[in-house]
Amino acid sequence: MIEMSFYGKRRFKYFLHRHDLEHLEKEDVPKGVFCKGCNRHILGHAYSCSRCEFYLHPSCAELLQEINHFFHQCVLTLKIFSSSFTCNACYQARSGFAYVCETCRVNFDPECVHQLSTMKSEDGDGRIEHFSHHHPLKDYEAEALCHICGQLCSGPAWGCSQCNFYLHKYCMKILPRRIKHWFHSCPLTFLTLPDYRCVVCLKTGSGLIFRCLKCRFELCVECCLMSVIKSNRSSKHPGEIQHFFHSCPLILKISSSFTCNGCLGHRSDFTYWCQHCDFYLDLMCARTFAIKSEGEEKKIQHFSHWHPLEPFEKMEDYEVLCVVCGNPSSDPTYCCSRCKFYIHKSCMDTLPQKIQRFFHPCPLILLNTPHSYQCAACDENCLPGLTFCCGNCHFQLDTRCALQPMIKYEGQEKIKHISHVHPLTLYPENNVHHEVCCKGCEKNCSILAYGCSNCNFYLHKSCAELPLEIMNSYHPAHPLILLNVGSQNLKKVKCNFCLKECGGFVFRCGECNFNLDVDCAFLKPTVEFMKHSHLLTVVDNIYGELECCACNRSCISSPAFRCLECDYNLHLVCGPLPVTIKHKCHIDPLTLKDFYVEDEDDDDEFYCDACEERRDPKLCVYYCEIGCPMIVEVKCVLSVVIPALRGERGDVKLRTAVRQITSKVISKELMVTEMKQNEAANETREGLSFDDIFHSLNASEKNEINDIIERMQKKMKRGKESVKGKEKDGTHPALFTSEAFRRFMDCIDAHNICLWKQYKQGSSSLKTKRSLLNSAMILNGPSVVLGNEFPSFLLEQNEFVKIGDVLLSPTLNSIYMQLLGRFRDDDIPGLSPKVGSLILYILCGVIQNMSTTKVVDVTEHKLGEWVACLKWAECAGFKIQFLFRHIKRVARVHYVFRARKLLDSSEVEHQQEIERTREEVEKLRTKMEAATAKFQLIEEHKKSRTAREKQFLKKTPLAMQWKPAADGLFDIVKDHK
């Protein structure tokens, strides 16, 4: 505590309270208050916070914030509990202060922690401190039970007579603070707990325990250290073994009652146990790792049976059945005559000890069960014997169901499938009710399907013939196992690819919790797109929330492109689409068009000619280029588009709508060749950045830049003077007139962008400043742009390659070629190649951005950016009046669209305001009528008062209201006497 003084009062800073504490003398302490640290009455002086009614004994207030104690290996921190806690030393319920270890989740009462100081005695009294007990331990010869091994302490021992706690000296010596045990993957820490449950012997109680601080896994000291501290009989047995009769490791434990899976005998005491399969072997059976038969070399040992197996000689009129397949012993067979156990040699050779089946998510282990059970597949009651079992889930399959997922009946259109009890009959196409769904993929059974009409159970033929295990490129680390989610009444699992909640068949990796439905499991990446490093896969439908990386909108309920590794997602219409398709809705080929809106269309309603429903004019369409009036939405031709994207139509040329980015479908045959060509192209390409070109300008090229800047500055000055002159005019034209639109265009034309500073004489480079734009790309090296005025859309193409005589971004090549076709010879100035490349970069970048922006999405700021950038090209000598005229046309449409929207919204707002005012007036009228009625009622009551009422009111002395209520009380009493 830190002492301070304020106005003569002693105050203290205390780490467990937010306010300062004041020292109170004994007479200043209120009666009946309790210490917040020990919850006992305060009878002497104390520390207090009167604002919070917080009081502490001086001894409690002086407790250290952190201590180290021999009883616990970690640092203990003092904390205050508002509710009760259990002390890990004395196991008593306490409240108030406690020394806590957050890591080990233990709490110690300060009284127990500091009791050591009161128990120290003279040197040589034989006491020691040990972490197994919170009190010092003394050398004892008395007979008592050891708290570690549970045996009688007949020899030298340490003990605490106060707590009746005793330990063998040998047990104390081998007791560790931390141990790595074969029973658990994490280290175990020694603790004393008031309440625990051992996971091995299932014993509950309080006392010494080994706990995993991460998993809350607990082992009592007897089970944890039994191989070391038990009697000579137990120490001869290893703690863990691998036995031929079981595929999992077996761990030594003590059990009060169990049935040995080897000899089927009932036992107690020591056993070797598999915690996953609930499999037991007694010590006698576990000691036999291989049973050898003397003098009989033909006998063999197999994990399917405990005893040796010998060849079975078939006898007439004596038929036996194989325990695995259930068929008669027509093939070579082995048997155990003592147990009447028969197994085909072919079944013996192919019988696995561990399988993974789609009928259950966990691995199934082959066991010899001593009890009868019900098969989870065929629901038959099975006798004790071989079974494939999941011990954790108590799930069991007989060997026939587990090993034969589909059995075909010869000469019949029937199969026996593991997913259903009865045989399934093959139904032709469209011969099943349209409302019936396949239990595998959960789709309608309109195609060939197997079914059981009695149970209304149907499977598509393709779903019935699915492989039980596949390797998939989306999850190459582990195989994916076919799992039937619906058969186990499990919660639906989500497909990692399409995000669908699956209740039927899925391919699953249980270790990684990775799932694919039966459709996504066989999809292949086929689409090459832009500079993405991986091929994209086309998904028919996205069932969950997924954001498109192009438009940042949700992809739910729409087809999409996906790269699962990079979590890269695109709407189908935001990604590359086939340039041309052939669809049954039209006789001619259909061509992809970014949008299809005729200039003469004055209404806002546009229709698809395939479905004859309204379509979104912002989205791309397919149309007949020959001249037929045929326009269809992409969603109406998905039956052709998606197969083309998946490579089912061979190599297809693709194009991304609006952005003019070309790509292709990579078929399986050309995938390797294409990758090699891409690698070669990447190795030979040497791209330049925007800054690289600027820093490489020579003196004459720098002068060209300065001339352009001077012309731009003069143009900017004239524009500002023109705007100021019109502002001084003071006239305000009517809204939405030609004059108002001219004023609007003047504001657009006054928008300027300062791209570069002039070169100074003798300077070798531009004055630079890094641009920290929130764009997709930052220029490499020192940037030549000023501040954040450089438009972000120009930074999207910052790689220049040689195209003819100029340097230009490859993505602007198509724009550049269209410009060359539009320009005449005198429209292009005679600039040097590098300066011309920089101006063309700006010019083509503006046109590219205009191509990717719908008119409905244009803003005043966007128009200003386009005009400002084009001024630089005009000042450089490019004759681009056709571009300015086009932007003016776009601006006019934007202005009219905004005006219409404003007029419509204004009319609606006025109507809403009128309606609100009308409602307020009605409320006031109702309130006024109620007040008037109340006033009239009072007036009528005044008029109808009787003479008796008036007399009664006069007799009452109203002046008494200003006197105390007890005034005259005793005078009245005196009168009554």
Side-chain angles (χ1 to χ4, degrees), residues 659-778:
R659 284 178 280 179
Q660 306 295 324
I661 301 170
T662 59
S663 54
K664 65 182 73 174
V665 172
I666 305 296
S667 63
K668 187 181 297 183
E669 294 78 10
L670 295 181
M671 190 175 295
V672 176
T673 305
E674 192 71 27
M675 288 183 177
K676 289 181 180 178
Q677 292 175 353
N678 290 339
E679 291 175 2
N682 290 333
E683 291 175 359
T684 57
R685 177 180 291 179
E686 294 182 0
L688 296 174
S689 69
F690 192 84
D691 286 353
D692 292 336
I693 299 176
F694 257 99
H695 289 302
S696 65
L697 298 179
N698 56 34
S700 62
E701 291 166 340
K702 293 175 184 177
N703 290 333
E704 287 185 45
I705 292 291
N706 281 337
D707 292 341
I708 295 172
I709 293 175
E710 287 177 1
R711 288 195 290 271
M712 188 63 191
Q713 288 175 343
K714 291 178 182 179
K715 193 175 187 68
M716 291 166 59
K717 186 176 181 182
R718 288 196 300 270
K720 290 180 180 178
E721 291 174 353
S722 175
V723 172
K724 287 181 179 179
K726 292 182 179 179
E727 289 177 351
K728 290 180 180 179
D729 185 18
T731 60
H732 297 284
L735 291 175
F736 315 133
T737 62
S738 298
E739 180 61 29
F741 176 66
R742 280 194 291 272
R743 291 284 181 96
F744 173 75
M745 287 305 302
D746 290 339
C747 294
I748 297 297
D749 192 57
H751 195 105
N752 295 298
I753 295 177
C754 185
L755 296 181
W756 310 302
K757 284 184 178 180
Q758 278 186 301
Y759 284 94
K760 288 187 176 181
Q761 293 294 331
S763 174
S764 60
S765 64
L766 293 171
K767 287 192 172 182
T768 61
K769 184 186 291 184
R770 177 170 290 277
S771 174
L772 300 177
L773 295 176
N774 294 325
S775 59
M777 189 179 298
I778 300 296

Side-chain angles (χ1 to χ4, degrees), residues 603-649:
D603 56 12
D604 290 336
E605 293 185 0
F606 305 91
Y607 289 87
C608 169
D609 292 320
C611 62
E612 298 183 354
E613 295 181 0
R614 292 185 64 174
R615 62 179 175 88
D616 189 346
K618 296 180 183 179
L619 299 180
C620 57
V621 295
Y622 280 95
Y623 81 110
C624 181
E625 199 171 22
I626 298 175
C628 304
M630 188 67 184
I631 304 167
V632 297
E633 293 180 284
V634 175
K635 68 178 183 180
C636 291
V637 290
L638 289 179
S639 60
V640 174
V641 171
I642 291 180
L645 293 172
R646 288 177 177 165
E648 298 176 14
R649 303 287 191 271

